Amino acid sequence: MDEELTPLTMWEKYKAFKDGVKPWDLLDKSQPRVPDWLAEVRLEVCNQCPFLIKKVQQCTQCGCFMHLKVKLAKASCPKDKWFEADPEHTI
């Protein structure tokens, strides 16, 4: 099996939250959200990614369910694949 595609352990997934976003942030209504169009763009990036388990929309790199994570403004892709999709990162 390709080492890069090997799922992370739970501890590695926890440490992978470099953006400080946790799954339970979705329950906190004070956490900022992105507009629906940006969440759709982010999810489309994820749908093209080899690290996504498409049946459950789960990332093998961070362990997140991406159809939910894409909605959080402070969230980021662990492989920096959203970089060009997010307007605040455009040059």
Side-chain angles (χ1 to χ4, degrees):
M1 178 180 251
D2 185 18
E3 187 175 331
E4 197 170 347
L5 292 175
T6 304
L8 301 174
T9 66
M10 289 305 290
W11 176 246
E12 290 169 323
K13 287 178 185 178
Y14 181 77
K15 290 190 310 185
F17 287 110
K18 66 178 182 181
D19 49 27
V21 174
K22 307 291 183 277
W24 49 87
D25 287 344
L26 286 161
L27 302 174
D28 182 356
K29 298 211 184 279
S30 70
Q31 288 292 321
R33 305 292 201 270
V34 298
D36 289 342
W37 68 266
L38 181 53
E40 290 174 18
V41 170
R42 286 176 168 187
L43 190 56
E44 183 57 34
V45 170
C46 294
N47 283 326
Q48 303 302 316
C49 181
F51 297 110
L52 184 72
I53 303 170
K54 292 188 191 249
K55 283 188 177 185
V56 292
Q57 293 285 293
Q58 186 176 22
C59 176
T60 61
Q61 297 303 291
C62 66
C64 293
F65 292 99
M66 300 313 295
H67 66 287
L68 300 171
K69 182 179 181 178
V70 296
K71 298 176 182 184
L72 293 171
K74 294 180 181 176
S76 64
C77 169
K79 293 295 188 179
D80 294 324
K81 292 185 177 214
W82 292 352
F83 185 78
E84 293 182 21
D86 286 347
E88 64 267 15
H89 296 281
T90 57
I91 298 172

